[in-house]
Amino acid sequence: MNIIRTFIHTNRDIHGADSVQEFLLPNIVDLKPNFIGMTSGKTYDKGLIVGTSRKWDEHILFGELNKVKRIGFFGRKKKKRILKNYISQIIKTNEEFPYSIVELDNEFNLVSAESMKDFLSRSKPKPKKLSDKVKESYLNLAKVCLNENDHAKFQKFASELKNYDGHWEHGTTLNFVNDYLNKNKILLFMVLDWKAGIDDFNWNLASALENNFNRKIDLPSPNDYPERASVSFDNVFCDYKNLLNKSDLELSFIDTDSDQYVILVHPISDKETVGNSINGIELKEMKINCT
């Protein structure tokens, strides 16, 4: 008996917000080309390939399904063969069509209906119109933080920007903007996990300084901090802020209510503009108190 890494499951986007969350098996009870839930015994036309880690084989699955839906005595060998084949097909289908919606044909073979991403892009609401105030605020941040060429590129992008807050794929407008920035190598925001190493911050900041302001500044060395210290270590950001302030530059932080830092580097003289613009994109500025 092997550990099964992927299986077929229900999904609220596919089956409805009130659907039962359960693993799915081929309908060997009625020998029909649809799925049957291992928890509820309900039937489904479609299922989603998901990751899992279960010690299952055809015998265990047969017994589990028999608990919720009486399978009957006749044809048990054939039904267990269908389950065995089903397990092997899930592995192959996932390799070829990962995270896809699947169906069963008349021979109980898995058929990929479409990718989950395609399904969601087709079935979910499109992004809404973004307010002029939010657009203007993003443009103000770009104006004070970017070089002339990147600012021009961002202006064109922002002119067509939509509201992605609550979007099924991006989650927030800021995430959508960051995806664009990363793809186009535009250094407006530095996005770091709270566990990111100081050397990662060093590299990102040095790149932004050189690219956006044509400045090379001797930054604090990661070796000045304990081994494996992260950017969340005491006074790390204050050390950098104090150093940059001597060169008339500043670090500002966007509070995204998550376990990451979103950081901007800009002239000190634009501190008020940056603070107002962070509020303008409907987020809050994270205050870093330094002495």
PDB file of all heavy atoms in Angstrom, residues 62-84:
ATOM      1  N   PHE A  62     -12.650   0.753  -1.203  1.00  0.00           N
ATOM      2  CA  PHE A  62     -13.882  -0.026  -1.344  1.00  0.00           C
ATOM      3  C   PHE A  62     -14.607  -0.089  -0.005  1.00  0.00           C
ATOM      4  O   PHE A  62     -15.823   0.128   0.081  1.00  0.00           O
ATOM      5  CB  PHE A  62     -13.558  -1.433  -1.843  1.00  0.00           C
ATOM      6  CG  PHE A  62     -14.768  -2.270  -2.150  1.00  0.00           C
ATOM      7  CD1 PHE A  62     -15.280  -2.331  -3.438  1.00  0.00           C
ATOM      8  CD2 PHE A  62     -15.413  -3.005  -1.157  1.00  0.00           C
ATOM      9  CE1 PHE A  62     -16.399  -3.101  -3.736  1.00  0.00           C
ATOM     10  CE2 PHE A  62     -16.531  -3.770  -1.424  1.00  0.00           C
ATOM     11  CZ  PHE A  62     -17.027  -3.817  -2.718  1.00  0.00           C
ATOM     12  N   GLY A  63     -13.854  -0.391   1.060  1.00  0.00           N
ATOM     13  CA  GLY A  63     -14.454  -0.495   2.385  1.00  0.00           C
ATOM     14  C   GLY A  63     -15.003   0.830   2.884  1.00  0.00           C
ATOM     15  O   GLY A  63     -16.085   0.874   3.492  1.00  0.00           O
ATOM     16  N   GLU A  64     -14.268   1.941   2.621  1.00  0.00           N
ATOM     17  CA  GLU A  64     -14.728   3.257   3.063  1.00  0.00           C
ATOM     18  C   GLU A  64     -16.015   3.663   2.353  1.00  0.00           C
ATOM     19  O   GLU A  64     -16.942   4.193   2.968  1.00  0.00           O
ATOM     20  CB  GLU A  64     -13.631   4.308   2.813  1.00  0.00           C
ATOM     21  CG  GLU A  64     -12.416   4.168   3.707  1.00  0.00           C
ATOM     22  CD  GLU A  64     -12.751   4.336   5.174  1.00  0.00           C
ATOM     23  OE1 GLU A  64     -13.462   5.293   5.519  1.00  0.00           O
ATOM     24  OE2 GLU A  64     -12.320   3.482   5.988  1.00  0.00           O
ATOM     25  N   LEU A  65     -16.070   3.405   1.048  1.00  0.00           N
ATOM     26  CA  LEU A  65     -17.270   3.757   0.300  1.00  0.00           C
ATOM     27  C   LEU A  65     -18.454   2.890   0.719  1.00  0.00           C
ATOM     28  O   LEU A  65     -19.596   3.358   0.803  1.00  0.00           O
ATOM     29  CB  LEU A  65     -17.018   3.611  -1.199  1.00  0.00           C
ATOM     30  CG  LEU A  65     -18.172   4.024  -2.115  1.00  0.00           C
ATOM     31  CD1 LEU A  65     -18.598   5.465  -1.851  1.00  0.00           C
ATOM     32  CD2 LEU A  65     -17.793   3.841  -3.576  1.00  0.00           C
ATOM     33  N   ASN A  66     -18.190   1.645   1.024  1.00  0.00           N
ATOM     34  CA  ASN A  66     -19.245   0.713   1.428  1.00  0.00           C
ATOM     35  C   ASN A  66     -19.903   1.129   2.742  1.00  0.00           C
ATOM     36  O   ASN A  66     -21.033   0.743   3.036  1.00  0.00           O
ATOM     37  CB  ASN A  66     -18.677  -0.704   1.549  1.00  0.00           C
ATOM     38  CG  ASN A  66     -19.760  -1.760   1.521  1.00  0.00           C
ATOM     39  OD1 ASN A  66     -20.726  -1.660   0.764  1.00  0.00           O
ATOM     40  ND2 ASN A  66     -19.608  -2.789   2.352  1.00  0.00           N
ATOM     41  N   LYS A  67     -19.183   1.969   3.532  1.00  0.00           N
ATOM     42  CA  LYS A  67     -19.736   2.438   4.798  1.00  0.00           C
ATOM     43  C   LYS A  67     -20.853   3.470   4.575  1.00  0.00           C
ATOM     44  O   LYS A  67     -21.765   3.583   5.389  1.00  0.00           O
ATOM     45  CB  LYS A  67     -18.641   3.074   5.662  1.00  0.00           C
ATOM     46  CG  LYS A  67     -17.602   2.095   6.177  1.00  0.00           C
ATOM     47  CD  LYS A  67     -16.521   2.844   6.959  1.00  0.00           C
ATOM     48  CE  LYS A  67     -15.411   1.905   7.416  1.00  0.00           C
ATOM     49  NZ  LYS A  67     -14.328   2.667   8.123  1.00  0.00           N
ATOM     50  N   VAL A  68     -20.740   4.224   3.489  1.00  0.00           N
ATOM     51  CA  VAL A  68     -21.718   5.295   3.257  1.00  0.00           C
ATOM     52  C   VAL A  68     -22.725   4.954   2.162  1.00  0.00           C
ATOM     53  O   VAL A  68     -23.781   5.576   2.057  1.00  0.00           O
ATOM     54  CB  VAL A  68     -21.010   6.629   2.897  1.00  0.00           C
ATOM     55  CG1 VAL A  68     -20.175   7.108   4.069  1.00  0.00           C
ATOM     56  CG2 VAL A  68     -20.168   6.498   1.646  1.00  0.00           C
ATOM     57  N   LYS A  69     -22.402   3.943   1.352  1.00  0.00           N
ATOM     58  CA  LYS A  69     -23.288   3.584   0.235  1.00  0.00           C
ATOM     59  C   LYS A  69     -23.126   2.084  -0.004  1.00  0.00           C
ATOM     60  O   LYS A  69     -22.062   1.631  -0.423  1.00  0.00           O
ATOM     61  CB  LYS A  69     -22.903   4.366  -1.019  1.00  0.00           C
ATOM     62  CG  LYS A  69     -23.989   4.463  -2.065  1.00  0.00           C
ATOM     63  CD  LYS A  69     -24.954   5.598  -1.752  1.00  0.00           C
ATOM     64  CE  LYS A  69     -25.882   5.838  -2.936  1.00  0.00           C
ATOM     65  NZ  LYS A  69     -26.859   6.899  -2.631  1.00  0.00           N
ATOM     66  N   ARG A  70     -24.154   1.325   0.257  1.00  0.00           N
ATOM     67  CA  ARG A  70     -24.077  -0.134   0.133  1.00  0.00           C
ATOM     68  C   ARG A  70     -23.729  -0.516  -1.299  1.00  0.00           C
ATOM     69  O   ARG A  70     -24.471  -0.227  -2.239  1.00  0.00           O
ATOM     70  CB  ARG A  70     -25.412  -0.763   0.541  1.00  0.00           C
ATOM     71  CG  ARG A  70     -25.413  -2.270   0.589  1.00  0.00           C
ATOM     72  CD  ARG A  70     -24.510  -2.777   1.676  1.00  0.00           C
ATOM     73  NE  ARG A  70     -24.540  -4.231   1.753  1.00  0.00           N
ATOM     74  CZ  ARG A  70     -23.675  -4.948   2.448  1.00  0.00           C
ATOM     75  NH1 ARG A  70     -22.719  -4.332   3.138  1.00  0.00           N
ATOM     76  NH2 ARG A  70     -23.752  -6.258   2.490  1.00  0.00           N
ATOM     77  N   ILE A  71     -22.590  -1.168  -1.492  1.00  0.00           N
ATOM     78  CA  ILE A  71     -22.127  -1.489  -2.837  1.00  0.00           C
ATOM     79  C   ILE A  71     -22.771  -2.761  -3.369  1.00  0.00           C
ATOM     80  O   ILE A  71     -23.072  -2.878  -4.557  1.00  0.00           O
ATOM     81  CB  ILE A  71     -20.581  -1.616  -2.861  1.00  0.00           C
ATOM     82  CG1 ILE A  71     -19.954  -0.269  -2.481  1.00  0.00           C
ATOM     83  CG2 ILE A  71     -20.097  -2.049  -4.233  1.00  0.00           C
ATOM     84  CD1 ILE A  71     -18.446  -0.294  -2.379  1.00  0.00           C
ATOM     85  N   GLY A  72     -22.996  -3.723  -2.513  1.00  0.00           N
ATOM     86  CA  GLY A  72     -23.567  -4.990  -2.974  1.00  0.00           C
ATOM     87  C   GLY A  72     -22.488  -6.049  -3.147  1.00  0.00           C
ATOM     88  O   GLY A  72     -21.291  -5.771  -3.232  1.00  0.00           O
ATOM     89  N   PHE A  73     -22.910  -7.305  -3.248  1.00  0.00           N
ATOM     90  CA  PHE A  73     -21.961  -8.418  -3.266  1.00  0.00           C
ATOM     91  C   PHE A  73     -21.431  -8.719  -4.667  1.00  0.00           C
ATOM     92  O   PHE A  73     -20.260  -9.018  -4.854  1.00  0.00           O
ATOM     93  CB  PHE A  73     -22.633  -9.673  -2.686  1.00  0.00           C
ATOM     94  CG  PHE A  73     -21.720 -10.849  -2.639  1.00  0.00           C
ATOM     95  CD1 PHE A  73     -20.773 -10.974  -1.637  1.00  0.00           C
ATOM     96  CD2 PHE A  73     -21.805 -11.850  -3.612  1.00  0.00           C
ATOM     97  CE1 PHE A  73     -19.926 -12.069  -1.603  1.00  0.00           C
ATOM     98  CE2 PHE A  73     -20.965 -12.950  -3.572  1.00  0.00           C
ATOM     99  CZ  PHE A  73     -20.021 -13.064  -2.561  1.00  0.00           C
ATOM    100  N   PHE A  74     -22.285  -8.674  -5.672  1.00  0.00           N
ATOM    101  CA  PHE A  74     -21.895  -9.114  -7.011  1.00  0.00           C
ATOM    102  C   PHE A  74     -20.952  -8.107  -7.684  1.00  0.00           C
ATOM    103  O   PHE A  74     -21.105  -6.895  -7.564  1.00  0.00           O
ATOM    104  CB  PHE A  74     -23.135  -9.326  -7.882  1.00  0.00           C
ATOM    105  CG  PHE A  74     -24.020 -10.441  -7.387  1.00  0.00           C
ATOM    106  CD1 PHE A  74     -25.203 -10.158  -6.707  1.00  0.00           C
ATOM    107  CD2 PHE A  74     -23.655 -11.761  -7.581  1.00  0.00           C
ATOM    108  CE1 PHE A  74     -26.004 -11.176  -6.235  1.00  0.00           C
ATOM    109  CE2 PHE A  74     -24.458 -12.792  -7.115  1.00  0.00           C
ATOM    110  CZ  PHE A  74     -25.639 -12.500  -6.430  1.00  0.00           C
ATOM    111  N   GLY A  75     -19.979  -8.658  -8.416  1.00  0.00           N
ATOM    112  CA  GLY A  75     -19.056  -7.833  -9.205  1.00  0.00           C
ATOM    113  C   GLY A  75     -18.031  -7.083  -8.396  1.00  0.00           C
ATOM    114  O   GLY A  75     -17.478  -6.080  -8.862  1.00  0.00           O
ATOM    115  N   ARG A  76     -17.719  -7.551  -7.208  1.00  0.00           N
ATOM    116  CA  ARG A  76     -16.791  -6.817  -6.349  1.00  0.00           C
ATOM    117  C   ARG A  76     -15.376  -6.785  -6.922  1.00  0.00           C
ATOM    118  O   ARG A  76     -14.681  -5.777  -6.792  1.00  0.00           O
ATOM    119  CB  ARG A  76     -16.777  -7.421  -4.939  1.00  0.00           C
ATOM    120  CG  ARG A  76     -18.063  -7.153  -4.178  1.00  0.00           C
ATOM    121  CD  ARG A  76     -17.918  -7.436  -2.703  1.00  0.00           C
ATOM    122  NE  ARG A  76     -19.054  -6.930  -1.953  1.00  0.00           N
ATOM    123  CZ  ARG A  76     -19.051  -6.715  -0.648  1.00  0.00           C
ATOM    124  NH1 ARG A  76     -17.953  -6.966   0.050  1.00  0.00           N
ATOM    125  NH2 ARG A  76     -20.130  -6.246  -0.037  1.00  0.00           N
ATOM    126  N   LYS A  77     -14.939  -7.859  -7.558  1.00  0.00           N
ATOM    127  CA  LYS A  77     -13.585  -7.875  -8.147  1.00  0.00           C
ATOM    128  C   LYS A  77     -13.460  -6.813  -9.228  1.00  0.00           C
ATOM    129  O   LYS A  77     -12.461  -6.088  -9.307  1.00  0.00           O
ATOM    130  CB  LYS A  77     -13.270  -9.264  -8.709  1.00  0.00           C
ATOM    131  CG  LYS A  77     -12.992 -10.318  -7.654  1.00  0.00           C
ATOM    132  CD  LYS A  77     -12.553 -11.620  -8.298  1.00  0.00           C
ATOM    133  CE  LYS A  77     -12.226 -12.663  -7.237  1.00  0.00           C
ATOM    134  NZ  LYS A  77     -11.785 -13.949  -7.841  1.00  0.00           N
ATOM    135  N   LYS A  78     -14.478  -6.722 -10.079  1.00  0.00           N
ATOM    136  CA  LYS A  78     -14.463  -5.725 -11.143  1.00  0.00           C
ATOM    137  C   LYS A  78     -14.448  -4.320 -10.563  1.00  0.00           C
ATOM    138  O   LYS A  78     -13.709  -3.435 -11.046  1.00  0.00           O
ATOM    139  CB  LYS A  78     -15.694  -5.905 -12.035  1.00  0.00           C
ATOM    140  CG  LYS A  78     -15.827  -4.838 -13.114  1.00  0.00           C
ATOM    141  CD  LYS A  78     -17.106  -4.995 -13.905  1.00  0.00           C
ATOM    142  CE  LYS A  78     -17.255  -3.872 -14.922  1.00  0.00           C
ATOM    143  NZ  LYS A  78     -18.513  -3.982 -15.703  1.00  0.00           N
ATOM    144  N   LYS A  79     -15.229  -4.106  -9.516  1.00  0.00           N
ATOM    145  CA  LYS A  79     -15.312  -2.781  -8.923  1.00  0.00           C
ATOM    146  C   LYS A  79     -13.996  -2.390  -8.254  1.00  0.00           C
ATOM    147  O   LYS A  79     -13.586  -1.223  -8.305  1.00  0.00           O
ATOM    148  CB  LYS A  79     -16.470  -2.734  -7.926  1.00  0.00           C
ATOM    149  CG  LYS A  79     -17.829  -2.860  -8.623  1.00  0.00           C
ATOM    150  CD  LYS A  79     -18.977  -3.015  -7.653  1.00  0.00           C
ATOM    151  CE  LYS A  79     -20.298  -3.160  -8.416  1.00  0.00           C
ATOM    152  NZ  LYS A  79     -21.457  -3.365  -7.527  1.00  0.00           N
ATOM    153  N   LYS A  80     -13.323  -3.349  -7.659  1.00  0.00           N
ATOM    154  CA  LYS A  80     -12.018  -3.047  -7.063  1.00  0.00           C
ATOM    155  C   LYS A  80     -10.979  -2.776  -8.153  1.00  0.00           C
ATOM    156  O   LYS A  80     -10.069  -1.959  -7.965  1.00  0.00           O
ATOM    157  CB  LYS A  80     -11.571  -4.195  -6.156  1.00  0.00           C
ATOM    158  CG  LYS A  80     -12.344  -4.255  -4.841  1.00  0.00           C
ATOM    159  CD  LYS A  80     -11.828  -5.343  -3.926  1.00  0.00           C
ATOM    160  CE  LYS A  80     -12.621  -5.372  -2.614  1.00  0.00           C
ATOM    161  NZ  LYS A  80     -12.135  -6.431  -1.684  1.00  0.00           N
ATOM    162  N   ARG A  81     -11.091  -3.442  -9.301  1.00  0.00           N
ATOM    163  CA  ARG A  81     -10.188  -3.149 -10.427  1.00  0.00           C
ATOM    164  C   ARG A  81     -10.392  -1.720 -10.917  1.00  0.00           C
ATOM    165  O   ARG A  81      -9.432  -1.037 -11.273  1.00  0.00           O
ATOM    166  CB  ARG A  81     -10.416  -4.142 -11.574  1.00  0.00           C
ATOM    167  CG  ARG A  81      -9.810  -5.511 -11.347  1.00  0.00           C
ATOM    168  CD  ARG A  81      -9.664  -6.277 -12.658  1.00  0.00           C
ATOM    169  NE  ARG A  81     -10.939  -6.425 -13.352  1.00  0.00           N
ATOM    170  CZ  ARG A  81     -11.763  -7.455 -13.182  1.00  0.00           C
ATOM    171  NH1 ARG A  81     -11.440  -8.420 -12.327  1.00  0.00           N
ATOM    172  NH2 ARG A  81     -12.903  -7.528 -13.861  1.00  0.00           N
ATOM    173  N   ILE A  82     -11.662  -1.292 -10.942  1.00  0.00           N
ATOM    174  CA  ILE A  82     -11.952   0.096 -11.351  1.00  0.00           C
ATOM    175  C   ILE A  82     -11.285   1.070 -10.388  1.00  0.00           C
ATOM    176  O   ILE A  82     -10.678   2.070 -10.805  1.00  0.00           O
ATOM    177  CB  ILE A  82     -13.477   0.339 -11.395  1.00  0.00           C
ATOM    178  CG1 ILE A  82     -14.103  -0.472 -12.531  1.00  0.00           C
ATOM    179  CG2 ILE A  82     -13.787   1.823 -11.567  1.00  0.00           C
ATOM    180  CD1 ILE A  82     -15.625  -0.435 -12.547  1.00  0.00           C
ATOM    181  N   LEU A  83     -11.353   0.773  -9.088  1.00  0.00           N
ATOM    182  CA  LEU A  83     -10.726   1.645  -8.099  1.00  0.00           C
ATOM    183  C   LEU A  83      -9.209   1.655  -8.236  1.00  0.00           C
ATOM    184  O   LEU A  83      -8.564   2.707  -8.132  1.00  0.00           O
ATOM    185  CB  LEU A  83     -11.116   1.202  -6.686  1.00  0.00           C
ATOM    186  CG  LEU A  83     -12.571   1.416  -6.276  1.00  0.00           C
ATOM    187  CD1 LEU A  83     -12.821   0.840  -4.886  1.00  0.00           C
ATOM    188  CD2 LEU A  83     -12.939   2.894  -6.306  1.00  0.00           C
ATOM    189  N   LYS A  84      -8.621   0.496  -8.478  1.00  0.00           N
ATOM    190  CA  LYS A  84      -7.167   0.403  -8.644  1.00  0.00           C
ATOM    191  C   LYS A  84      -6.715   1.211  -9.857  1.00  0.00           C
ATOM    192  O   LYS A  84      -5.717   1.950  -9.807  1.00  0.00           O
ATOM    193  CB  LYS A  84      -6.748  -1.059  -8.789  1.00  0.00           C
ATOM    194  CG  LYS A  84      -5.233  -1.254  -8.870  1.00  0.00           C
ATOM    195  CD  LYS A  84      -4.865  -2.726  -8.919  1.00  0.00           C
ATOM    196  CE  LYS A  84      -3.368  -2.901  -8.964  1.00  0.00           C
ATOM    197  NZ  LYS A  84      -2.977  -4.350  -8.991  1.00  0.00           N
TER     198      LYS A  84
END
